[in-house]
Short mmCIF file of all heavy atoms in Angstrom, two decimals:
data_model
loop_
_atom_site.label_atom_id
_atom_site.label_comp_id
_atom_site.label_asym_id
_atom_site.label_seq_id
_atom_site.Cartn_x
_atom_site.Cartn_y
_atom_site.Cartn_z
N MET A 1 -6.31 2.78 -2.10
CA MET A 1 -6.38 2.93 -3.61
C MET A 1 -5.06 3.58 -4.09
O MET A 1 -4.48 3.07 -5.10
CB MET A 1 -7.60 3.71 -4.03
CG MET A 1 -8.96 2.93 -3.74
SD MET A 1 -10.37 4.08 -3.80
CE MET A 1 -10.36 4.52 -5.60
N ILE A 2 -4.64 4.65 -3.50
CA ILE A 2 -3.39 5.34 -3.94
C ILE A 2 -2.19 4.44 -3.78
O ILE A 2 -1.35 4.34 -4.62
CB ILE A 2 -3.22 6.64 -3.17
CG1 ILE A 2 -4.19 7.73 -3.69
CG2 ILE A 2 -1.80 7.10 -3.20
CD1 ILE A 2 -3.83 8.33 -5.05
N ALA A 3 -2.10 3.74 -2.58
CA ALA A 3 -1.04 2.87 -2.39
C ALA A 3 -0.99 1.75 -3.40
O ALA A 3 0.14 1.36 -3.85
CB ALA A 3 -1.12 2.29 -0.96
N TRP A 4 -2.16 1.21 -3.79
CA TRP A 4 -2.14 0.10 -4.82
C TRP A 4 -1.67 0.68 -6.15
O TRP A 4 -0.92 -0.02 -6.80
CB TRP A 4 -3.60 -0.43 -4.93
CG TRP A 4 -3.63 -1.61 -5.89
CD1 TRP A 4 -3.31 -2.90 -5.59
CD2 TRP A 4 -3.99 -1.58 -7.26
NE1 TRP A 4 -3.39 -3.69 -6.78
CE2 TRP A 4 -3.86 -2.86 -7.79
CE3 TRP A 4 -4.44 -0.55 -8.17
CZ2 TRP A 4 -4.17 -3.24 -9.11
CZ3 TRP A 4 -4.72 -0.88 -9.43
CH2 TRP A 4 -4.59 -2.22 -9.91
N GLN A 5 -2.08 1.89 -6.49
CA GLN A 5 -1.56 2.48 -7.76
C GLN A 5 -0.08 2.69 -7.71
O GLN A 5 0.65 2.54 -8.74
CB GLN A 5 -2.25 3.84 -8.01
CG GLN A 5 -3.64 3.77 -8.43
CD GLN A 5 -4.31 5.09 -8.69
OE1 GLN A 5 -3.91 6.13 -8.08
NE2 GLN A 5 -5.29 5.18 -9.65
N MET A 6 0.47 3.02 -6.53
CA MET A 6 1.85 3.32 -6.44
C MET A 6 2.74 2.09 -6.43
O MET A 6 3.78 2.02 -7.01
CB MET A 6 2.14 4.12 -5.11
CG MET A 6 1.63 5.57 -5.18
SD MET A 6 1.92 6.46 -3.59
CE MET A 6 3.69 6.61 -3.64
N PHE A 7 2.24 1.01 -5.61
CA PHE A 7 3.09 -0.13 -5.43
C PHE A 7 2.58 -1.48 -5.88
O PHE A 7 3.18 -2.49 -5.82
CB PHE A 7 3.28 -0.25 -3.86
CG PHE A 7 3.78 0.97 -3.17
CD1 PHE A 7 3.00 1.66 -2.23
CD2 PHE A 7 5.04 1.50 -3.47
CE1 PHE A 7 3.46 2.77 -1.60
CE2 PHE A 7 5.51 2.64 -2.86
CZ PHE A 7 4.70 3.28 -1.92
N GLY A 8 1.28 -1.45 -6.46
CA GLY A 8 0.67 -2.74 -6.74
C GLY A 8 1.14 -3.47 -7.95
O GLY A 8 1.06 -4.71 -8.04
N ASN A 9 1.62 -2.69 -8.98
CA ASN A 9 2.09 -3.31 -10.21
C ASN A 9 1.11 -4.30 -10.79
O ASN A 9 1.45 -5.38 -11.36
CB ASN A 9 3.40 -4.09 -10.00
CG ASN A 9 4.51 -3.12 -9.50
OD1 ASN A 9 4.71 -2.01 -10.06
ND2 ASN A 9 5.26 -3.47 -8.50
N GLY A 10 -0.19 -3.90 -10.59
CA GLY A 10 -1.28 -4.79 -11.20
C GLY A 10 -1.59 -6.01 -10.47
O GLY A 10 -2.40 -6.78 -10.89
N GLU A 11 -1.04 -6.19 -9.27
CA GLU A 11 -1.35 -7.40 -8.51
C GLU A 11 -2.79 -7.39 -8.12
O GLU A 11 -3.46 -6.41 -7.97
CB GLU A 11 -0.48 -7.39 -7.24
CG GLU A 11 0.97 -7.72 -7.40
CD GLU A 11 1.72 -7.82 -6.05
OE1 GLU A 11 1.14 -7.28 -5.02
OE2 GLU A 11 2.79 -8.30 -6.06
N THR A 12 -3.36 -8.61 -7.93
CA THR A 12 -4.72 -8.88 -7.46
C THR A 12 -4.66 -9.91 -6.33
O THR A 12 -3.68 -10.63 -6.18
CB THR A 12 -5.61 -9.39 -8.56
OG1 THR A 12 -5.15 -10.76 -8.94
CG2 THR A 12 -5.57 -8.44 -9.75
N PRO A 13 -5.70 -10.07 -5.61
CA PRO A 13 -5.83 -11.13 -4.63
C PRO A 13 -5.56 -12.53 -5.25
O PRO A 13 -4.90 -13.37 -4.70
CB PRO A 13 -7.24 -11.02 -4.06
CG PRO A 13 -7.56 -9.63 -4.20
CD PRO A 13 -6.96 -9.20 -5.50
N GLU A 14 -6.17 -12.70 -6.46
CA GLU A 14 -5.93 -13.94 -7.13
C GLU A 14 -4.46 -14.19 -7.54
O GLU A 14 -3.92 -15.31 -7.26
CB GLU A 14 -6.79 -14.02 -8.41
CG GLU A 14 -8.33 -14.09 -8.17
CD GLU A 14 -8.85 -12.68 -7.80
OE1 GLU A 14 -8.23 -11.69 -8.12
OE2 GLU A 14 -9.93 -12.63 -7.27
N SER A 15 -3.79 -13.15 -8.10
CA SER A 15 -2.44 -13.42 -8.51
C SER A 15 -1.44 -13.61 -7.35
O SER A 15 -0.43 -14.17 -7.51
CB SER A 15 -1.94 -12.20 -9.36
OG SER A 15 -1.82 -11.08 -8.60
N THR A 16 -1.83 -13.03 -6.23
CA THR A 16 -0.91 -13.16 -5.01
C THR A 16 -1.42 -14.24 -4.00
O THR A 16 -0.78 -14.45 -2.95
CB THR A 16 -0.84 -11.85 -4.28
OG1 THR A 16 -2.10 -11.46 -3.87
CG2 THR A 16 -0.17 -10.79 -5.13
N HIS A 17 -2.62 -14.93 -4.33
CA HIS A 17 -3.16 -15.93 -3.49
C HIS A 17 -3.38 -15.40 -2.08
O HIS A 17 -3.06 -16.02 -1.10
CB HIS A 17 -2.27 -17.18 -3.42
CG HIS A 17 -1.93 -17.76 -4.68
ND1 HIS A 17 -2.84 -18.44 -5.52
CD2 HIS A 17 -0.75 -17.72 -5.47
CE1 HIS A 17 -2.24 -18.85 -6.71
NE2 HIS A 17 -1.00 -18.38 -6.66
N THR A 18 -3.99 -14.20 -2.07
CA THR A 18 -4.24 -13.46 -0.80
C THR A 18 -5.74 -13.20 -0.70
O THR A 18 -6.39 -12.85 -1.66
CB THR A 18 -3.51 -12.11 -0.77
OG1 THR A 18 -2.13 -12.35 -1.08
CG2 THR A 18 -3.64 -11.51 0.60
N LYS A 19 -6.28 -13.42 0.47
CA LYS A 19 -7.67 -13.07 0.76
C LYS A 19 -7.95 -11.63 0.52
O LYS A 19 -7.06 -10.75 0.84
CB LYS A 19 -8.03 -13.45 2.18
CG LYS A 19 -9.53 -13.51 2.53
CD LYS A 19 -9.69 -14.27 3.86
CE LYS A 19 -11.08 -14.09 4.39
NZ LYS A 19 -11.31 -12.82 5.10
N GLY A 20 -9.03 -11.22 -0.21
CA GLY A 20 -9.25 -9.90 -0.72
C GLY A 20 -9.14 -8.79 0.32
O GLY A 20 -8.53 -7.74 0.09
N ASP A 21 -9.71 -8.96 1.49
CA ASP A 21 -9.68 -7.91 2.54
C ASP A 21 -8.26 -7.74 3.09
O ASP A 21 -7.83 -6.62 3.42
CB ASP A 21 -10.73 -8.18 3.63
CG ASP A 21 -10.67 -9.57 4.20
OD1 ASP A 21 -10.05 -10.46 3.51
OD2 ASP A 21 -11.13 -9.77 5.32
N HIS A 22 -7.54 -8.84 3.17
CA HIS A 22 -6.16 -8.72 3.64
C HIS A 22 -5.29 -7.99 2.59
O HIS A 22 -4.41 -7.22 2.93
CB HIS A 22 -5.60 -10.16 3.88
CG HIS A 22 -6.18 -10.90 5.04
ND1 HIS A 22 -5.45 -11.33 6.07
CD2 HIS A 22 -7.46 -11.23 5.30
CE1 HIS A 22 -6.27 -11.89 6.89
NE2 HIS A 22 -7.47 -11.89 6.47
N PHE A 23 -5.54 -8.36 1.34
CA PHE A 23 -4.79 -7.70 0.16
C PHE A 23 -4.94 -6.27 0.24
O PHE A 23 -3.96 -5.46 0.23
CB PHE A 23 -5.35 -8.31 -1.08
CG PHE A 23 -4.60 -7.77 -2.30
CD1 PHE A 23 -3.41 -8.36 -2.79
CD2 PHE A 23 -5.16 -6.69 -3.00
CE1 PHE A 23 -2.87 -7.87 -3.87
CE2 PHE A 23 -4.52 -6.22 -4.15
CZ PHE A 23 -3.36 -6.78 -4.58
N VAL A 24 -6.17 -5.70 0.41
CA VAL A 24 -6.43 -4.26 0.42
C VAL A 24 -5.82 -3.68 1.68
O VAL A 24 -5.28 -2.58 1.72
CB VAL A 24 -7.89 -3.97 0.25
CG1 VAL A 24 -8.19 -2.45 0.39
CG2 VAL A 24 -8.35 -4.42 -1.16
N GLY A 25 -5.97 -4.38 2.81
CA GLY A 25 -5.47 -3.93 4.12
C GLY A 25 -3.96 -3.73 4.09
O GLY A 25 -3.44 -2.86 4.78
N ASP A 26 -3.29 -4.56 3.39
CA ASP A 26 -1.82 -4.45 3.29
C ASP A 26 -1.45 -3.16 2.60
O ASP A 26 -0.41 -2.55 2.99
CB ASP A 26 -1.27 -5.60 2.43
CG ASP A 26 -1.37 -7.00 3.18
OD1 ASP A 26 -1.54 -6.94 4.46
OD2 ASP A 26 -1.19 -8.01 2.58
N TYR A 27 -2.25 -2.73 1.67
CA TYR A 27 -1.96 -1.46 0.98
C TYR A 27 -2.26 -0.24 1.87
O TYR A 27 -1.66 0.80 1.75
CB TYR A 27 -2.69 -1.38 -0.36
CG TYR A 27 -1.96 -2.20 -1.42
CD1 TYR A 27 -2.39 -3.46 -1.74
CD2 TYR A 27 -0.83 -1.73 -2.03
CE1 TYR A 27 -1.67 -4.30 -2.61
CE2 TYR A 27 -0.13 -2.52 -2.91
CZ TYR A 27 -0.54 -3.74 -3.24
OH TYR A 27 0.20 -4.56 -4.10
N TYR A 28 -3.20 -0.40 2.80
CA TYR A 28 -3.50 0.69 3.71
C TYR A 28 -2.23 0.88 4.65
O TYR A 28 -1.83 2.01 4.98
CB TYR A 28 -4.71 0.25 4.61
CG TYR A 28 -5.12 1.32 5.60
CD1 TYR A 28 -5.54 2.55 5.21
CD2 TYR A 28 -5.00 1.09 7.01
CE1 TYR A 28 -5.92 3.55 6.18
CE2 TYR A 28 -5.49 2.02 7.92
CZ TYR A 28 -5.93 3.21 7.47
OH TYR A 28 -6.26 4.20 8.38
N VAL A 29 -1.65 -0.31 5.02
CA VAL A 29 -0.40 -0.16 5.89
C VAL A 29 0.71 0.42 4.99
O VAL A 29 1.51 1.26 5.46
CB VAL A 29 -0.01 -1.59 6.45
CG1 VAL A 29 1.31 -1.47 7.15
CG2 VAL A 29 -1.13 -2.09 7.37
N LYS A 30 0.85 0.06 3.71
CA LYS A 30 1.88 0.58 2.82
C LYS A 30 1.72 2.11 2.67
O LYS A 30 2.68 2.82 2.65
CB LYS A 30 1.81 -0.17 1.49
CG LYS A 30 2.42 -1.53 1.57
CD LYS A 30 2.27 -2.24 0.15
CE LYS A 30 2.78 -3.65 0.32
NZ LYS A 30 2.69 -4.47 -0.95
N PHE A 31 0.46 2.56 2.59
CA PHE A 31 0.19 4.02 2.48
C PHE A 31 0.77 4.69 3.73
O PHE A 31 1.55 5.69 3.54
CB PHE A 31 -1.31 4.28 2.40
CG PHE A 31 -1.56 5.77 2.54
CD1 PHE A 31 -1.59 6.56 1.40
CD2 PHE A 31 -1.80 6.39 3.70
CE1 PHE A 31 -1.76 7.97 1.46
CE2 PHE A 31 -1.93 7.79 3.87
CZ PHE A 31 -1.99 8.56 2.77
N ASN A 32 0.49 4.22 4.85
CA ASN A 32 0.96 4.91 6.08
C ASN A 32 2.47 4.87 6.27
O ASN A 32 3.08 5.77 6.71
CB ASN A 32 0.29 4.28 7.34
CG ASN A 32 -1.11 4.86 7.42
OD1 ASN A 32 -1.38 5.99 7.84
ND2 ASN A 32 -2.14 3.99 7.11
N ASN A 33 3.08 3.76 5.73
CA ASN A 33 4.54 3.67 5.78
C ASN A 33 5.14 4.74 4.87
O ASN A 33 6.09 5.44 5.21
CB ASN A 33 5.05 2.30 5.39
CG ASN A 33 4.64 1.26 6.43
OD1 ASN A 33 4.47 1.57 7.63
ND2 ASN A 33 4.63 -0.04 6.09
N GLU A 34 4.56 4.84 3.69
CA GLU A 34 5.05 5.85 2.67
C GLU A 34 4.81 7.23 3.21
O GLU A 34 5.59 8.18 3.00
CB GLU A 34 4.36 5.60 1.37
CG GLU A 34 4.79 6.56 0.23
CD GLU A 34 6.28 6.52 -0.14
OE1 GLU A 34 6.94 5.49 0.23
OE2 GLU A 34 6.72 7.46 -0.81
N TYR A 35 3.63 7.49 3.76
CA TYR A 35 3.28 8.84 4.29
C TYR A 35 4.28 9.26 5.35
O TYR A 35 4.81 10.38 5.44
CB TYR A 35 1.85 8.72 4.86
CG TYR A 35 1.29 10.05 5.40
CD1 TYR A 35 1.54 11.22 4.76
CD2 TYR A 35 0.54 10.12 6.47
CE1 TYR A 35 1.06 12.43 5.27
CE2 TYR A 35 0.00 11.25 7.04
CZ TYR A 35 0.27 12.40 6.38
OH TYR A 35 -0.27 13.60 6.88
N LYS A 36 4.63 8.25 6.26
CA LYS A 36 5.66 8.56 7.30
C LYS A 36 6.95 8.94 6.69
O LYS A 36 7.67 9.88 7.14
CB LYS A 36 5.79 7.32 8.20
CG LYS A 36 4.77 7.27 9.36
CD LYS A 36 5.18 6.08 10.24
CE LYS A 36 4.17 5.85 11.38
NZ LYS A 36 4.43 4.70 12.16
N ARG A 37 7.36 8.10 5.70
CA ARG A 37 8.68 8.37 5.08
C ARG A 37 8.72 9.69 4.41
O ARG A 37 9.72 10.51 4.62
CB ARG A 37 8.89 7.25 3.97
CG ARG A 37 10.30 7.26 3.36
CD ARG A 37 10.44 6.34 2.19
NE ARG A 37 9.69 6.83 1.01
CZ ARG A 37 10.05 7.85 0.24
NH1 ARG A 37 11.25 8.48 0.49
NH2 ARG A 37 9.34 8.24 -0.80
N GLN A 38 7.67 10.06 3.66
CA GLN A 38 7.62 11.42 3.01
C GLN A 38 7.62 12.54 4.00
O GLN A 38 8.26 13.60 3.87
CB GLN A 38 6.41 11.49 2.05
CG GLN A 38 6.53 10.58 0.88
CD GLN A 38 5.38 10.75 -0.12
OE1 GLN A 38 4.53 11.68 0.01
NE2 GLN A 38 5.29 9.90 -1.12
N THR A 39 6.84 12.35 5.11
CA THR A 39 6.74 13.36 6.15
C THR A 39 8.12 13.66 6.78
O THR A 39 8.56 14.73 6.99
CB THR A 39 5.73 12.94 7.24
OG1 THR A 39 4.48 12.79 6.63
CG2 THR A 39 5.64 14.06 8.32
N GLU A 40 8.79 12.50 7.03
CA GLU A 40 10.17 12.65 7.66
C GLU A 40 11.11 13.36 6.69
O GLU A 40 11.96 14.19 7.15
CB GLU A 40 10.71 11.25 8.05
CG GLU A 40 9.98 10.56 9.20
CD GLU A 40 9.96 11.49 10.44
OE1 GLU A 40 11.07 12.02 10.80
OE2 GLU A 40 8.96 11.58 11.13
N GLU A 41 11.00 13.09 5.45
CA GLU A 41 11.85 13.75 4.44
C GLU A 41 11.65 15.24 4.39
O GLU A 41 12.57 16.08 4.38
CB GLU A 41 11.58 13.17 2.99
CG GLU A 41 12.50 12.01 2.59
CD GLU A 41 12.20 11.62 1.16
OE1 GLU A 41 11.53 12.34 0.46
OE2 GLU A 41 12.76 10.59 0.73
N LEU A 42 10.37 15.64 4.46
CA LEU A 42 10.02 17.11 4.40
C LEU A 42 10.46 17.75 5.71
O LEU A 42 10.89 18.86 5.68
CB LEU A 42 8.51 17.26 4.25
CG LEU A 42 7.97 16.89 2.84
CD1 LEU A 42 6.50 16.79 2.76
CD2 LEU A 42 8.43 17.98 1.84
N LYS A 43 10.33 17.08 6.85
CA LYS A 43 10.83 17.64 8.10
C LYS A 43 12.32 17.81 8.07
O LYS A 43 12.88 18.83 8.58
CB LYS A 43 10.40 16.73 9.27
CG LYS A 43 8.95 16.87 9.70
CD LYS A 43 8.48 15.79 10.61
CE LYS A 43 9.20 15.73 11.91
NZ LYS A 43 8.84 14.66 12.79
#
């Protein structure tokens, strides 16, 4: 949910022609990528 707020720009499964569970799963991966980036910055 946080990743979609940060990076989604209002996209939906319909607007991106993506299956809904894949669409949300992509944002779970984006969260972890961003989390890693921020963690490395703080380190």
Side-chain angles (χ1 to χ4, degrees):
M1 292 164 64
I2 284 288
W4 184 80
Q5 285 183 331
M6 291 176 69
F7 308 115
N9 298 314
E11 285 183 345
T12 66
E14 292 78 16
S15 70
T16 57
H17 306 290
T18 310
K19 194 163 168 277
D21 50 339
H22 291 240
F23 181 84
V24 173
D26 289 343
Y27 282 97
Y28 182 64
V29 174
K30 285 177 183 178
F31 171 89
N32 282 287
N33 291 339
E34 179 63 16
Y35 183 39
K36 273 185 184 176
R37 188 190 69 75
Q38 291 184 8
T39 302
E40 290 303 317
E41 267 188 7
L42 289 167
K43 281 166 64 182

